[in-house]
Amino acid sequence: MTDSMTIAAPILIPLIAAALCAVFWRSASIQRVISLASSVLLLAAAVWLLRTVTTQGIIASNRGGWQAPFGITMVADTFSAVMVVITAIMGMAVAIYSVAYPDTAAREAAGFHPLFQGMIFGVTGAFMTGDLFNLYVWFEVMLITSFGLLVLGGRRDAIDGGVKYVALNLVATTVFLIAIGLLYGVAGTLNMADLSGKLALVENQGLVTVIGLLFLLAFGMKGAVFPLFFWLPASYHTAPMPIAAIFAALLTKVGVYAIIRAFTLIFTEDVGFFSNAIALIAAATMITGVLGAAAHYDIRRILSFHIISQIGYMLMGLAIYTPLAVAGAILYIVHHIVVKANLFLIAGAIRQAGGSFQLKKLGGLYHTRPLLGVLFLIPALSLAGIPPFSGFWGKLLVIDASLQAEHYALAGVALSVGLLTLYSMIKIWLEAFWKPVPEEGSTYGGAVPVTLSRGRFAVMLTPIVGLAAMTMTIGIWTEPFVALAGDAAAELLDPRAYIAAVMGAPR
């Protein structure tokens, strides 16, 4: 397979799947088969992409018959290839889970599969684009399809959450376009590799810094960082759990990916200023997110706020800006995608087994569903950073890097947030699994479990078991994952190979 096809395949597969699902709109069973088959093919293409990058180095191709910086450039380095692989894994996990989740038929009739595949298409494109304007296009594909998924079924709370979600994201898009226009006016190009060299030659570096802040603002809104995260806890809890799980896994990570890419490749002339700004944002994001989680007793809201708090750890690695710190941030992104998606899938299983998302209405699940209790503990403890799970190593790397760089306050915040995260996870465990079931007629009684066949519940648990195994694998067999993250960090902090691959890519 040529480099051009290796890059194109992970983008074309979900696009073709979305189109085929739309063609077979009236047949939910055919759409389901197409979606599952697309997930398998996407994972195979993504693994091949990562293998190609790790063995041959960074690859790039230009579309439209033009050389860079004028063509539509697609690039795969280690970081983007890893993100495409983890996207494919999440797509497969959610596609399997959604088959057994209640009310799937109603969502399928409303267009779940075309929208789901369309969102995966947008995410993979965003991870591999080499041009800022095309990044805007991929963001719009993600926004349109994710909004459609959020309001599927037309429930009032979902529409309310969807309006809040899309409103702030449209503000982010506007800021992004303004920043793109200013940047093009200053540099005359939007190709990221080309910008890496040309921005250093701009006389007015103060203006470049201001433009960088606009990009940080736009990407920060997409990534749900402090103080721009309000749309996330106002909307994610309204979605069905398969949709909430894929949102939690991928949407904010595209914003974080864009921040890391922009501030290691493009805006590198004022590293000290941006590092300090990102450090403050990271600390505030961790604190506000974890406090929001600690205050709530709805599982969906707790998990939504923890998406926010954990974003802070990823930005913390970028703020420190050392190879160890950036490697830790990349490892933490991968860990968090797996763990957070799994926790939302488990929340859906808890809802079916216990009858509610409200912790006060739940209880006794460890006695009725002991396997579910064990499966919850694995990602929960990993999220809190308890060894030997994956979250421990990601946090260890970024905290170790912060101590080496003498960012003691940032390290202290990260450790404190880890303790509060553990508190939230223990709260869910004690309320949902350990305490007795609330009696009928009591203040919090009345939750009615959803009756599911053993087969359907087993299908729901299948991706949960798989993601839990991934968490354990990263935690126990850590060395290859740390090495891969280290390679990705080295490419980010020394972008010469990236620039050479893009500028020398064939048409």
Side-chain angles (χ1 to χ4, degrees):
M1 186 184 294
T2 64
D3 289 350
S4 180
M5 283 304 300
T6 299
I7 290 177
I11 300 173
L12 290 176
I13 289 169
L15 175 61
I16 294 170
L20 288 175
C21 288
V23 168
F24 293 99
W25 183 273
R26 296 183 181 276
S27 177
S29 59
I30 294 178
Q31 290 186 57
R32 203 175 301 138
V33 171
I34 292 170
S35 189
L36 289 169
S38 172
S39 299
V40 174
L41 290 174
L42 177 58
L43 181 57
V47 170
W48 180 260
L49 176 70
L50 179 60
R51 179 186 179 278
T52 302
V53 170
T54 54
T55 56
Q56 299 180 16
I58 299 170
I59 58 175
S61 69
N62 292 303
R63 307 293 169 173
W66 293 87
Q67 288 290 118
F70 307 107
I72 298 173
T73 302
M74 305 303 294
V75 195
D77 62 356
T78 304
F79 187 26
S80 59
V82 166
M83 297 304 290
V84 171
V85 169
I86 202 69
T87 297
I89 293 171
M90 294 305 106
M92 178 180 288
V94 172
I96 295 170
Y97 183 90
S98 64
V99 169
Y101 196 76
D103 302 325
T104 294
R107 290 193 306 277
E108 289 175 332
F112 169 77
H113 291 294
L115 290 170
F116 178 74
Q117 292 298 326
M119 196 196 80
I120 298 296
F121 165 65
V123 171
T124 54
F127 286 143
M128 289 198 291
T129 185
D131 181 276
L132 284 174
F133 185 80
N134 289 317
L135 180 59
Y136 155 75
V137 174
W138 293 117
F139 272 139
E140 290 306 287
V141 172
M142 289 166 47
L143 178 60
I144 293 167
T145 53
S146 58
F147 176 70
L149 287 169
L150 193 57
V151 300
L152 275 182
R155 297 189 337 271
R156 184 170 182 174
D157 62 335
I159 293 173
D160 178 65
V163 169
K164 294 173 182 175
Y165 167 77
V166 80
L168 191 55
N169 273 276
L170 286 175
V171 173
T173 296
T174 303
V175 175
F176 189 16
L177 279 176
I178 292 170
I180 284 175
L182 291 171
L183 187 60
Y184 187 78
V186 167
T189 180
L190 292 174
N191 182 284
M192 289 190 275
D194 198 29
L195 281 167
S196 182
K198 287 190 174 178
L199 282 187
L201 304 177
V202 175
E203 291 184 9
N204 190 348
Q205 286 297 314
L207 178 58
V208 174
T209 299
V210 170
I211 295 171
L213 286 173
L214 287 176
F215 276 101
L216 183 59
L217 178 64
F219 295 150
M221 289 184 191
K222 299 287 186 181
V225 306
F226 177 87
L228 309 167
F229 58 78
F230 302 106
W231 59 270
L232 194 155
S235 58
Y236 276 24
H237 74 282
T238 66
M241 288 303 98
I243 295 172
I246 200 69
F247 282 12
L250 299 177
L251 292 188
T252 53
K253 309 312 179 299
V254 178
V256 173
Y257 171 88
I259 292 173
I260 293 174
R261 181 69 71 189
F263 291 93
T264 57
L265 179 62
I266 302 171
F267 301 102
T268 57
E269 294 302 307
D270 199 355
V271 172
F273 172 80
F274 285 120
S275 292
N276 289 333
I278 292 171
L280 290 173
I281 293 169
T285 301
M286 283 189 279
I287 293 168
T288 53
V290 80
L291 290 178
H296 281 283
Y297 277 80
D298 183 300
I299 297 175
R300 298 166 300 178
R301 290 184 179 272
I302 293 172
L303 297 180
S304 295
F305 273 102
H306 272 306
I307 296 172
I308 298 164
S309 71
Q310 305 300 304
I311 294 295
Y313 286 97
M314 304 167 201
L315 294 182
M316 179 178 166
L318 178 62
I320 298 166
Y321 211 79
T322 64
L324 180 63
V326 176
I330 293 169
L331 182 63
Y332 201 85
I333 291 171
V334 172
H335 138 78
H336 187 260
I337 288 173
V338 174
V339 164
K340 184 54 67 175
N342 206 11
L343 284 170
F344 271 96
L345 297 181
I346 292 169
I350 290 174
R351 168 67 179 82
Q352 309 317 311
S356 179
F357 290 110
Q358 297 291 333
L359 291 179
K360 294 297 185 181
K361 294 184 178 182
L362 292 167
L365 287 180
Y366 186 72
H367 300 287
T368 59
R369 301 280 187 177
L371 177 59
L372 185 60
V374 173
L375 291 173
F376 167 77
L377 279 177
I378 293 172
L381 295 177
S382 183
L383 191 72
I386 303 299
F389 304 106
S390 59
F392 169 76
W393 297 106
K395 288 185 179 180
L396 177 65
L397 290 182
V398 293
I399 292 173
D400 184 28
S402 66
L403 293 174
Q404 290 183 23
E406 299 183 355
H407 285 273
Y408 301 120
L410 201 55
V413 169
L415 290 169
S416 301
V417 168
L419 291 174
L420 287 173
T421 302
L422 181 60
Y423 161 76
S424 296
M425 295 299 104
I426 290 175
K427 179 172 68 176
I428 295 175
W429 168 260
L430 292 177
E431 292 286 338
F433 291 94
W434 199 249
K435 82 171 193 291
V437 181
E439 295 181 4
E440 187 78 23
S442 66
T443 304
Y444 297 108
V448 180
V450 177
T451 303
L452 287 178
S453 66
R454 286 181 178 271
R456 287 186 67 183
F457 199 75
V459 172
M460 288 179 64
L461 290 183
T462 299
I464 293 173
V465 171
L467 295 180
M470 282 189 64
T471 302
M472 293 292 295
T473 300
I474 296 172
I476 296 172
W477 191 43
T478 313
E479 185 176 354
F481 297 96
V482 172
L484 192 63
D487 292 342
E491 292 174 356
L492 287 169
L493 295 176
D494 184 4
R496 288 176 295 180
Y498 181 99
I499 296 167
V502 171
M503 302 311 288
R507 288 184 283 182

